[in-house]
Amino acid sequence: MKQDTIPSTNVLSCDPFPGSEKVYVQGELHDIQVAMRKIEVGDTLHKFSGKVEKNSPVYVYDTSGPYTDASVTIDVRKGLPKLRESWILDRNDVERMEQISSDYGRQRLNDPNLDHLRFEHRHQPLRAKAGANVTQLHYARKGIITPEMEYIAIRENQGLEKLYSQDNELWKQHQGNSFGANTPKRLITPEFVRQEVAAGRAIIPNNINHPESEPMIIGRNFLVKINANIGNSAVTSSIEEEVEKAVWACRWGADTIMDLSTGKNIHETREWIIRNSPVPIGTVPIYQALEKVGGKAEELNWEIFRDTLIEQAEQGVDYFTIHAGVLLHYIPLTAKRVTGIVSRGGSIMAKWCLAHHKENFLYTHFEEICQIMKDYDVAFSLGDGLRPGSIADANDEAQFAELKTQGELNRMAWKYDVQVMNEGPGHVPMHLIKENMEKQLEYCQEAPFYTLGPLTTDIAPGYDHITSAIGAAMIGWYGTAMLCYVTPKEHLGLPNKKDVKDGVITYKIAAHAADLAKGHPGAQYRDNALSKARFEFRWDDQFNLSLDPDTAREFHDETLPAEGAKVAHFCSMCGPHFCSMKITQEVRAYADAMGTNEEEALHQGLAEKSNEFLEKGSELYL
Amino acid sequence: MKQDTIPSTNVLSCDPFPGSEKVYVQGELHDIQVAMRKIEVGDTLHKFSGKVEKNSPVYVYDTSGPYTDASVTIDVRKGLPKLRESWILDRNDVERMEQISSDYGRQRLNDPNLDHLRFEHRHQPLRAKAGANVTQLHYARKGIITPEMEYIAIRENQGLEKLYSQDNELWKQHQGNSFGANTPKRLITPEFVRQEVAAGRAIIPNNINHPESEPMIIGRNFLVKINANIGNSAVTSSIEEEVEKAVWACRWGADTIMDLSTGKNIHETREWIIRNSPVPIGTVPIYQALEKVGGKAEELNWEIFRDTLIEQAEQGVDYFTIHAGVLLHYIPLTAKRVTGIVSRGGSIMAKWCLAHHKENFLYTHFEEICQIMKDYDVAFSLGDGLRPGSIADANDEAQFAELKTQGELNRMAWKYDVQVMNEGPGHVPMHLIKENMEKQLEYCQEAPFYTLGPLTTDIAPGYDHITSAIGAAMIGWYGTAMLCYVTPKEHLGLPNKKDVKDGVITYKIAAHAADLAKGHPGAQYRDNALSKARFEFRWDDQFNLSLDPDTAREFHDETLPAEGAKVAHFCSMCGPHFCSMKITQEVRAYADAMGTNEEEALHQGLAEKSNEFLEKGSELYL
């Protein structure tokens, strides 16, 4: 196995997207600059009239952070700029600690053998002052609109304010015709963000020790989000690869990253990831705790786990998956399953419970966990340790028993103003998906749902990004707030960089399909702009507006690589004679040439004939 | 551009699937042998008890034809064995023609410049005797159960009879526990097949001139089918590549192939494909007709089209896409669309209608078309020429107006006992998908629906196999009988062999997910067998039971290539410590070691403790 090393600076993808630039929208309540990506598009040239139609630029939600801002210099060894630091300090409810609180953390810090792996530019951690509560839920309930909340409101609107405020011909047209069928019904306001957080229907995962991250929200009245899992295992991977995968995942659209490392140097790997991540980071602390006891689940205990929570909270982890709902008396419910317990955290806790004949210590210590979480604003992602691992086990008693306990734990978290979401399955056939969402809303009082897929069949290992994207899109439409991606390697091995991208793009598709189906304000704007570009053979615009411009361009160029083909009114799929879009263009041009608009031309010129035929024709089939 | 050549024999994939053999089930009503694939699986070794559990082989529906039968010698230049020839001749209602009826066909046949491209072993075509009707619908309505119908019944049951009749421990278990949640409720009988065909709810596309094809059925009370499009364009591809792609698509699960060639040598390309295809072939005859008039839509006419229909019917095309529903007065309805008309056939007919100010000649000559179809048993696939080409255009007036006309044309086809299905969209967001199915059932009297995707968003060119698999799975669940695949190259270029496989596997996933959701008898059997293998770390079984054993194995081996890793109780994803399945196995083993079954062990050993805690624990959260 190769030696672990710190990342070299050139592994991170820092190129801006083609035809795009990073723009910043100024806040009104707070002095904040909200990043988004602006995609410039070309004009439409009307062939016969010679008229030039201006097409509006398209603003899209951008998770790639400073990496795609050409004006920012990235140095992986220094980490990203601390966007939120002043917001946090200005609230006057945190204190900077003289040293880190975790025994294990100090031990790693003082081990000279780890010097070569250490992130050098770390700060001393922040913690809530005694008696303070620094969670966004706490502020929201007090009626405070934080900079984070305003940032999110502007971000979620994806530049629609701009389009509204422009006296733009195209935009007016959109509102008048089919282009505007799903045009935004309302804009998201900072106050709406606050209300949703206060109600527990949405969470803003942003640990005060991860000021590098751009605020984002997880809730079903916002854009559907996606998470990408990365992390090493005992068998493979390095710090460099994991940081590279994290930044790569953000580039393609990951809204959060979970670092699921279970191999060596977990502490240092996480530090590098957090310092370079523009999105919130989640972890499953029990994994590291298990490593600390040499992989023996029965040797786990509350003290080790508690120290791990604090260690990770002070590094800046934004949400913790905690499998506190795997109760002792639920374990027998999994005995007759085809695939037993398939969650790693769930099986670790089940093993511990059985070995000790005791209740899950995460459950019995849940209030103490809440007290830690509120000091750093770490959000709960309550694990679904008993999720089904096969179609046969979907929606069974074990699964729903745990979900009910998750609801109970939500209420406890909320007592401490700690933000919480619930994790969900797994493997579920399509006809059983809706029940998962309905039960979660009921049992868990509308806290955000965060599901893994679900996979809608078990028979396609190697393609589980697809088996699960089907389920993910559906459950997203039904109300799931965040979708945990599944890569093509699921069930087979650790994802590499290509798998990460495949998983992320696939899940962006699922999330966006869900946004369209839910009618999220403005979701369809990008679809319309891309389809218009496609129809008008503006090939570069079509590529640039797509989720993955590189692949779209590459596929096109495989058969027609010449630059001239980018203005050609056909592609290799059908060739020039059979291009329906070309023919329709001709139909439109024909109408144009007749000096009237297409619809009128058709109606005027053809109505008689058409009616004539209708009389004859309808006789034909009476 | 490279010279066209006939296929060399070594381009076709003839390897049997790993761990699998081709088996044949004997018919009872007819002397027929129904091909299916039998996947052998290993035993389960119970670690502590030492008990060996036999696992039943899994029989799966197999579209790969003789290619995967190790005992058959394939010669692409001779074509496949004529499985159905004697069934057809035995009915005594056909006659062998002295020469082909199409002028164009004869012209191609007599052109010495084409000698080097010609399929040599062709037979003279068959046609219904004067006054006869040779469609499966005609027989079904007469109460005749044809060999085709019995073949289909046995094929659809996927070997479940075998499992039923075996006194098999595993199978009995399945029926008793969660393994059997979706176990078959009923077997499909030959009489049921006949009834569904007679009712027009299902079609059996099998032209009497394509006796090489294995009977299959398209209808919503059967397994959901998928179609793969192949075919050259003016810009790219050759006969050899197209035959290779066709056989490749069948290998991975294509239930039918559409040859959409629009380039050169369309006639010869089609001959090679049909003679080597074990699945029904569909075409869009207007494409070839357009080529005959030099690509000028306005020069099309009924005579050329009619000759093309006969030419193709006598070659053995099993279904024709006919865009007879694109009526003159519907064209203006597309004027305000974002993407106008995107169907090639639709735009060709629209252009013709406009150029002539006349009603669509496919509509005005529809009865004559029916008369041709019934002579060869070619089925209609009524084209949706006005399908939406973008999310913005979904479910609009133009689309549903054409659908209503499709229903009218269905009734006309049925008057002639001609089998018919209806093509559907296209681009449709998730929340508008169901309406498509409901309207089709209503307007088209439950004739099989055959949809392209639908794509649930427009923003992912390069990934449209995925954007559309989401919609395909859903509409399949709602009742669509056949899903036309979309490849990653959609909108960008002509699919190559890799794209064809990606498209087919993706659509097998969508179709199977739909079968599970519909509760098709036995659909879940394969999922359960694979999940059991996965849980028991029978890696080879997991690979062999998957839709794509090659890719599953390759992905696994990327990180753990050693043969020993195939019996390892973990993979590179989590490593040995974190493998939840391994831990659950240990939990089970632990129970086993206690000399009782797991559930009892847990209940006995833990109930007290569990109850004890429950009393304390429930206080915690009151």
Side-chain angles (χ1 to χ4, degrees):
Chain A
M1 187 167 299
K2 63 187 165 188
Q3 266 304 99
D4 216 348
T5 54
I6 64 170
S8 48
T9 45
N10 59 0
V11 299
L12 305 182
S13 324
C14 300
D15 299 327
F17 288 100
S20 302
E21 63 171 324
K22 182 81 80 178
V23 295
Y24 296 89
V25 178
Q26 176 67 36
E28 289 176 8
L29 304 177
H30 298 279
D31 182 19
I32 55 174
Q33 289 76 42
V34 181
M36 50 190 73
R37 176 176 152 213
K38 179 185 182 184
I39 309 172
E40 289 290 355
V41 293
D43 299 337
T44 302
L45 215 85
H46 291 278
K47 216 168 153 188
F48 281 79
S49 65
K51 216 171 56 182
V52 174
E53 180 193 349
K54 273 288 205 220
N55 290 304
S56 295
V58 177
Y59 295 86
V60 299
Y61 194 101
D62 184 1
T63 56
S64 64
Y67 293 97
T68 53
D69 184 339
S71 71
V72 175
T73 309
I74 299 290
D75 182 347
V76 67
R77 300 184 185 205
K78 289 190 178 148
L80 294 177
K82 294 182 165 42
L83 170 71
R84 296 191 294 113
E85 189 169 51
S86 63
W87 312 352
I88 295 162
L89 297 177
D90 285 353
R91 285 192 281 256
N92 273 316
D93 52 6
V94 297
E95 56 190 2
R96 193 161 307 273
M97 311 183 66
E98 285 178 18
Q99 62 165 353
I100 58 181
S101 320
S102 148
D103 295 337
Y104 180 84
R106 282 196 302 271
Q107 186 188 314
R108 297 295 291 189
L109 196 61
N110 299 325
D111 184 346
N113 293 324
L114 296 170
D115 282 351
H116 68 290
L117 291 182
R118 204 163 283 129
F119 182 84
E120 281 306 322
H121 293 265
R122 52 178 291 281
H123 282 195
Q124 289 304 88
L126 299 174
R127 189 174 65 186
K129 286 180 181 166
N133 185 321
V134 299
T135 71
Q136 293 287 319
L137 175 53
H138 185 71
Y139 304 136
R141 282 178 166 178
K142 286 192 145 177
I144 299 166
I145 296 175
T146 61
E148 287 85 345
M149 295 172 196
E150 188 185 16
Y151 192 105
I152 285 163
I154 295 171
R155 195 176 190 189
E156 291 273 326
N157 286 328
Q158 300 176 88
L160 286 176
E161 312 89 325
K162 281 186 190 283
L163 291 165
Y164 268 135
S165 66
Q166 279 169 15
D167 182 25
N168 184 302
E169 192 52 36
L170 179 70
W171 183 245
K172 276 191 284 175
Q173 279 175 30
H174 296 175
Q175 299 183 305
N177 63 25
S178 64
F179 220 93
N182 263 357
T183 42
K185 291 167 205 89
R186 56 178 167 74
L187 291 177
I188 285 172
T189 62
E191 169 59 16
F192 181 72
V193 173
R194 188 199 64 74
Q195 286 170 11
E196 289 291 297
V197 172
R201 270 194 299 272
I203 66 168
I204 301 174
N206 58 347
N207 187 325
I208 53 172
N209 289 310
H210 186 200
E212 299 89 348
S213 76
E214 295 173 348
M216 57 80 68
I217 197 161
I218 302 168
R220 73 180 199 284
N221 292 319
F222 301 92
L223 290 165
V224 176
K225 304 302 187 299
I226 69 164
N227 170 70
N229 292 335
I230 59 157
N232 67 14
S233 81
V235 182
T236 181
S237 187
S238 69
I239 292 179
E240 179 169 82
E241 280 172 70
E242 295 314 315
V243 174
E244 190 185 356
K245 279 195 267 181
V247 173
W248 187 240
C250 294
R251 177 178 180 84
W252 296 112
D255 293 287
T256 75
I257 298 283
M258 287 195 80
D259 172 15
L260 303 185
S261 289
T262 56
K264 63 200 158 142
N265 305 321
I266 299 182
H267 179 89
E268 290 69 28
T269 303
R270 184 168 48 237
E271 187 73 28
W272 281 99
I273 291 171
I274 294 173
R275 298 288 76 84
N276 287 287
S277 171
V279 305
I281 298 295
T283 61
V284 188
I286 202 79
Y287 294 174
Q288 192 187 4
L290 187 68
E291 274 303 285
K292 291 178 182 175
V293 296
K296 300 202 176 69
E298 55 279 20
E299 294 186 10
L300 283 166
N301 59 52
W302 165 241
E303 287 67 33
I304 284 173
F305 186 75
R306 182 179 175 281
D307 192 71
T308 307
L309 288 185
I310 293 173
E311 171 200 344
Q312 298 196 7
E314 294 190 354
Q315 285 187 297
V317 173
D318 301 283
Y319 62 90
F320 286 151
T321 294
I322 309 260
H323 296 89
V326 179
L327 300 192
L328 186 64
H329 62 292
Y330 296 161
I331 302 171
L333 301 176
T334 66
K336 290 281 183 197
R337 279 178 161 185
V338 169
T339 49
I341 300 176
V342 297
S343 146
R344 293 187 214 167
S347 59
I348 292 165
M349 292 319 300
K351 196 173 176 190
W352 186 90
C353 290
L354 293 181
H356 294 273
H357 284 204
K358 273 192 186 156
E359 188 50 281
N360 183 338
F361 67 79
L362 302 175
Y363 182 78
T364 57
H365 289 275
F366 197 72
E367 293 203 60
E368 289 157 88
I369 300 176
C370 292
Q371 278 157 349
I372 297 168
M373 310 287 263
K374 76 173 177 47
D375 281 348
Y376 307 93
D377 197 8
V378 183
F380 276 111
S381 181
L382 291 175
D384 57 334
L386 303 182
R387 68 167 174 267
S390 56
I391 292 296
D393 296 343
N395 292 22
D396 74 352
E397 202 186 341
Q399 185 196 333
F400 287 137
E402 186 188 16
L403 185 63
K404 223 169 211 169
T405 300
Q406 285 193 33
E408 180 192 332
L409 295 168
N410 282 1
R411 290 188 286 279
M412 177 59 58
W414 287 331
K415 220 176 82 179
Y416 288 86
D417 285 355
V418 174
Q419 305 188 88
V420 60
M421 62 181 170
N422 303 105
E423 294 186 10
H427 291 239
V428 185
M430 283 192 286
H431 63 299
L432 299 183
I433 290 177
K434 204 167 195 180
E435 186 185 11
N436 279 275
M437 192 66 230
E438 288 167 350
K439 283 214 163 44
Q440 192 272 340
L441 287 173
E442 182 196 338
Y443 294 169
C444 302
Q445 291 82 43
E446 303 190 64
F449 203 24
Y450 167 31
T451 62
L452 178 69
L455 285 71
T456 54
T457 165
D458 304 341
I459 65 169
Y463 299 82
D464 279 328
H465 58 314
I466 299 174
T467 64
S468 67
I470 296 167
M474 289 175 68
I475 207 163
W477 171 28
Y478 298 152
T480 290
M482 185 156 79
L483 309 170
C484 183
Y485 86 170
V486 171
T487 78
K489 285 281 166 60
E490 184 74 15
H491 299 120
L492 299 169
L494 205 66
N496 61 24
K497 203 172 155 185
K498 179 185 183 311
D499 299 320
V500 166
K501 180 176 173 183
D502 283 345
V504 168
I505 299 280
T506 302
Y507 271 67
K508 283 313 261 194
I509 290 169
H512 185 75
D515 286 334
L516 287 178
K518 285 165 68 178
H520 182 92
Q524 200 183 319
Y525 193 80
R526 187 176 184 176
D527 294 75
N528 292 356
L530 188 146
S531 287
K532 188 169 189 286
R534 176 179 285 156
F535 196 67
E536 293 168 358
F537 299 99
R538 287 185 277 117
W539 287 100
D540 283 320
D541 290 347
Q542 185 187 164
F543 303 152
N544 295 345
L545 286 164
S546 73
L547 285 180
D548 179 2
D550 302 350
T551 298
R553 184 181 307 268
E554 183 192 316
F555 280 5
H556 173 272
D557 290 1
E558 225 173 79
T559 39
L560 291 175
E563 241 344 274
K566 303 289 194 315
V567 293
H569 278 206
F570 63 91
C571 73
S572 71
M573 193 158 68
C574 310
H577 281 171
F578 286 89
C579 182
S580 58
M581 298 199 298
K582 179 166 173 277
I583 298 173
T584 306
Q585 298 268 32
E586 288 170 8
V587 169
R588 288 194 178 175
Y590 162 88
D592 225 23
M594 284 173 66
T596 169
N597 81 47
E598 188 177 1
E599 193 170 20
E600 280 174 28
L602 291 167
H603 268 126
Q604 284 170 11
L606 306 175
E608 279 176 54
K609 296 282 175 189
S610 170
N611 286 332
E612 214 173 87
F613 176 77
L614 254 186
E615 282 171 34
K616 275 194 297 177
S618 46
E619 274 169 31
L620 260 178
Y621 298 124
L622 281 184
Chain B
M1 187 169 299
K2 63 187 169 191
Q3 267 302 101
D4 216 349
T5 54
I6 64 169
S8 48
T9 44
N10 58 1
V11 300
L12 304 182
S13 325
C14 300
D15 297 326
F17 288 100
S20 302
E21 63 171 323
K22 183 82 82 180
V23 295
Y24 296 88
V25 178
Q26 176 67 35
E28 289 177 8
L29 304 177
H30 298 279
D31 182 19
I32 56 175
Q33 289 77 40
V34 180
M36 50 189 76
R37 175 177 153 211
K38 179 185 183 184
I39 309 172
E40 289 290 356
V41 292
D43 299 337
T44 302
L45 215 84
H46 292 275
K47 216 169 154 188
F48 281 78
S49 65
K51 216 172 58 183
V52 173
E53 179 194 350
K54 274 281 200 229
N55 290 305
S56 297
V58 177
Y59 296 86
V60 298
Y61 194 101
D62 186 0
T63 56
S64 63
Y67 293 98
T68 54
D69 185 339
S71 70
V72 175
T73 309
I74 298 292
D75 182 346
V76 66
R77 298 178 188 212
K78 289 191 176 146
L80 294 177
K82 295 183 166 35
L83 170 71
R84 298 189 293 110
E85 187 169 51
S86 64
W87 313 351
I88 294 161
L89 297 177
D90 284 354
R91 286 192 278 257
N92 275 318
D93 52 7
V94 298
E95 56 190 1
R96 196 165 300 277
M97 311 183 64
E98 286 179 17
Q99 62 166 355
I100 59 182
S101 319
S102 148
D103 294 337
Y104 180 83
R106 281 197 300 273
Q107 186 188 315
R108 297 294 291 190
L109 196 60
N110 298 327
D111 183 347
N113 293 324
L114 296 170
D115 283 351
H116 68 290
L117 292 182
R118 206 162 282 129
F119 181 85
E120 281 306 324
H121 294 265
R122 51 179 292 283
H123 281 196
Q124 290 303 85
L126 298 174
R127 190 174 63 187
K129 286 180 180 165
N133 184 324
V134 299
T135 73
Q136 292 289 319
L137 175 54
H138 184 73
Y139 304 136
R141 283 178 165 175
K142 286 191 146 175
I144 297 166
I145 296 176
T146 62
E148 287 85 345
M149 295 172 196
E150 188 185 18
Y151 192 103
I152 285 163
I154 295 171
R155 195 176 191 190
E156 291 274 327
N157 287 327
Q158 299 176 86
L160 286 176
E161 312 90 326
K162 282 187 186 283
L163 290 166
Y164 269 133
S165 65
Q166 278 169 17
D167 183 24
N168 183 304
E169 192 54 35
L170 180 71
W171 184 246
K172 276 192 281 172
Q173 279 173 30
H174 295 177
Q175 299 184 305
N177 64 25
S178 64
F179 219 94
N182 264 358
T183 41
K185 292 167 204 90
R186 55 178 169 74
L187 291 176
I188 285 172
T189 62
E191 169 58 15
F192 180 73
V193 173
R194 187 199 64 75
Q195 286 169 12
E196 290 290 297
V197 172
R201 270 194 299 272
I203 67 167
I204 301 174
N206 59 346
N207 187 325
I208 53 173
N209 289 309
H210 186 199
E212 298 90 347
S213 77
E214 295 172 349
M216 57 79 70
I217 195 160
I218 301 168
R220 74 179 196 285
N221 293 318
F222 301 92
L223 290 165
V224 175
K225 303 304 187 295
I226 68 165
N227 171 68
N229 291 334
I230 59 158
N232 66 13
S233 80
V235 182
T236 181
S237 189
S238 68
I239 292 180
E240 178 168 84
E241 280 173 71
E242 296 313 315
V243 174
E244 191 185 357
K245 281 195 268 182
V247 173
W248 187 239
C250 295
R251 176 176 180 83
W252 296 112
D255 293 287
T256 76
I257 299 282
M258 287 195 79
D259 172 14
L260 303 186
S261 290
T262 56
K264 60 197 161 147
N265 304 321
I266 299 182
H267 179 90
E268 290 70 27
T269 303
R270 185 169 46 239
E271 187 74 29
W272 280 98
I273 292 171
I274 294 173
R275 299 285 77 82
N276 286 286
S277 172
V279 305
I281 299 294
T283 62
V284 187
I286 201 80
Y287 294 174
Q288 191 187 6
L290 187 69
E291 274 301 288
K292 292 178 183 174
V293 295
K296 300 201 176 69
E298 56 277 20
E299 294 185 9
L300 283 167
N301 59 52
W302 164 243
E303 288 66 33
I304 284 175
F305 186 77
R306 183 180 175 280
D307 192 71
T308 306
L309 288 184
I310 293 172
E311 170 199 346
Q312 298 196 8
E314 293 190 356
Q315 283 187 298
V317 173
D318 301 283
Y319 61 92
F320 287 151
T321 293
I322 309 259
H323 296 89
V326 179
L327 301 192
L328 185 64
H329 62 294
Y330 296 161
I331 301 171
L333 300 177
T334 67
K336 289 282 183 196
R337 280 178 160 186
V338 170
T339 50
I341 300 176
V342 298
S343 146
R344 293 186 214 169
S347 58
I348 294 165
M349 292 320 299
K351 196 172 175 190
W352 187 91
C353 290
L354 293 181
H356 294 271
H357 284 203
K358 271 191 187 158
E359 189 50 281
N360 182 337
F361 67 79
L362 302 174
Y363 182 78
T364 56
H365 289 274
F366 196 74
E367 293 204 60
E368 288 157 89
I369 300 175
C370 292
Q371 276 155 352
I372 296 169
M373 309 289 262
K374 76 172 177 49
D375 280 348
Y376 306 94
D377 197 8
V378 183
F380 276 112
S381 181
L382 291 174
D384 55 335
L386 304 182
R387 68 168 172 269
S390 56
I391 293 295
D393 296 342
N395 291 24
D396 73 352
E397 202 186 341
Q399 185 196 330
F400 287 137
E402 184 187 17
L403 186 64
K404 220 168 214 170
T405 301
Q406 285 192 35
E408 179 193 332
L409 296 167
N410 282 359
R411 290 187 285 280
M412 178 59 57
W414 286 332
K415 220 177 82 177
Y416 287 87
D417 286 354
V418 174
Q419 305 188 90
V420 61
M421 61 180 168
N422 303 104
E423 293 186 11
H427 292 240
V428 185
M430 283 193 286
H431 64 299
L432 299 182
I433 290 176
K434 203 166 196 181
E435 185 184 11
N436 278 276
M437 191 67 229
E438 288 167 350
K439 283 216 163 44
Q440 193 271 342
L441 287 173
E442 182 196 337
Y443 295 169
C444 302
Q445 291 82 42
E446 303 189 63
F449 202 25
Y450 167 31
T451 62
L452 177 68
L455 285 70
T456 55
T457 165
D458 304 342
I459 66 169
Y463 298 83
D464 279 329
H465 57 316
I466 299 174
T467 64
S468 66
I470 295 167
M474 289 175 68
I475 208 162
W477 172 27
Y478 298 151
T480 290
M482 185 156 77
L483 307 170
C484 181
Y485 88 169
V486 171
T487 78
K489 285 282 167 59
E490 184 75 16
H491 299 120
L492 299 169
L494 205 66
N496 60 25
K497 203 171 155 184
K498 180 184 183 313
D499 300 319
V500 166
K501 180 175 171 184
D502 283 345
V504 168
I505 298 280
T506 301
Y507 270 67
K508 283 313 261 193
I509 289 169
H512 185 74
D515 287 334
L516 287 178
K518 285 165 69 179
H520 183 92
Q524 200 182 317
Y525 193 81
R526 187 175 185 177
D527 293 76
N528 292 356
L530 187 146
S531 288
K532 189 168 189 288
R534 176 178 286 157
F535 196 67
E536 294 168 358
F537 298 98
R538 288 184 276 118
W539 288 101
D540 282 322
D541 290 348
Q542 186 188 161
F543 304 150
N544 294 345
L545 287 163
S546 73
L547 285 180
D548 177 3
D550 302 350
T551 297
R553 183 180 307 269
E554 183 193 316
F555 280 5
H556 173 271
D557 289 1
E558 225 172 77
T559 40
L560 291 175
E563 239 348 271
K566 304 288 195 312
V567 292
H569 278 207
F570 63 90
C571 73
S572 70
M573 193 158 65
C574 310
H577 280 170
F578 286 90
C579 182
S580 58
M581 298 197 300
K582 179 167 173 278
I583 299 175
T584 306
Q585 299 266 32
E586 287 168 9
V587 169
R588 289 193 177 174
Y590 161 89
D592 225 23
M594 285 172 65
T596 169
N597 82 47
E598 188 177 0
E599 194 170 20
E600 282 173 27
L602 291 169
H603 268 126
Q604 284 169 11
L606 306 175
E608 278 177 56
K609 297 281 173 190
S610 171
N611 287 334
E612 214 173 89
F613 177 77
L614 255 186
E615 282 171 36
K616 276 195 295 175
S618 45
E619 274 169 30
L620 259 180
Y621 298 124
L622 281 183

